[in-house]
Amino acid sequence: MGSTATDIDSQIKILEERGLIIHDYAKTKELLLDVGYYRLGFYFYYFQDTEHNFEEDICIDDIVSLYYFDFDIKMMLLRYIYRIEVHFRTQLVYYVSNFYSGNNAWYADPKIVNNDILKELNNIYYILRTNNNTLIKHHQKYPGDSFAPAWKVFEFFTFGQVFKFYSNLKNVELKKKIAGVYGFRDVELLNNYLIAIINIRNICSHNGILFDFNQPIGIRRIPNLKYRIQTANTTNLNASIRLILFILSKISINRSTELENNLKELFKKGKTKNLVDRIIANKIKFDM
């Protein structure tokens, strides 16, 4: 669309000139005012040539179906990833805080964590300390504390930040103990899995395009036949879904089964739409 703002009628005209089929103009106007031309453009892209012309017989309703299908997957996965996030945070805080029971702010101690994360901590903590009611009240009550206890602070760290503190622990045996909660002796295996899940979490949270997302690093072999990736593609969404189900099963087999069934139902419904079915087959390759 270039760098000049255009009104809804002009947007529709551009889309039709590029070959997109529009049957209901009133509904399309409502859609563009609701979702936005630019956001839908991320989904237009997959069905356009280099000149932005659409493939033959592509309808705006097809694009909308794909948009909502992608949105529904994101919202569904986000709910269960949050369960994984909370569980991992709990393990980290519990095991490390009890190991260093005399130091409730171990996450700020250079003897316990690497300097790489401490460089970030001051900025992160300053923002929390000045904006978070829990920490504001803590420092009002304990003005001599430079940092609040880990079990208070980590509740307000992002999944990515929590993982950074785990990966920057100097005590390798502690890291192994936490990895062991999930049945892994290899810390690097847990690292690989968590990074992949955090990547998906960030796409879902920030409303990126999920169906075409590929992990920058392949997901390592899943040590469970039920969830093991069945193809050579260890970076696509299908591989990430299998990983999420596997890690979730370590926390709650009921929640893992619930997510699997919900995903199957969502994909079954998606396959009734031609364009979505094509994306499932060619991009996602869902095979649960």
Side-chain angles (χ1 to χ4, degrees), residues 224-242:
N224 183 300
L225 287 174
K226 175 177 172 60
Y227 303 108
R228 186 168 297 163
I229 300 166
Q230 302 297 314
T231 69
N233 191 332
T234 61
T235 63
N236 69 355
L237 179 56
N238 183 64
S240 295
I241 286 173
R242 282 181 166 274

Side-chain angles (χ1 to χ4, degrees), residues 66 69 267-285:
L66 178 59
F69 174 72
F267 276 85
K268 181 180 178 181
K269 182 179 176 182
K271 288 180 179 181
T272 64
K273 307 290 185 180
N274 289 336
L275 205 64
V276 176
D277 184 46
R278 174 176 151 190
I279 289 296
I280 292 172
N282 298 332
K283 290 285 186 182
I284 304 174
K285 300 183 185 295

Side-chain angles (χ1 to χ4, degrees), residues 25 49 70 81 86 90 106 130 134 189 201 208 215 232 265:
Y25 286 87
D49 61 22
D70 197 53
I81 289 173
V86 170
T90 301
W106 54 263
T130 54
T134 298
L189 185 63
R201 182 259 182 208
Q215 297 285 352
E265 187 63 30

Side-chain angles (χ1 to χ4, degrees), residues 7 9 105 129 147 225 230 253 260 263 275 283:
D7 60 28
D9 289 328
R129 181 172 178 167
F147 297 94
L225 287 174
Q230 302 297 314
I253 193 66
E260 182 179 345
L263 284 168
L275 205 64
K283 290 285 186 182

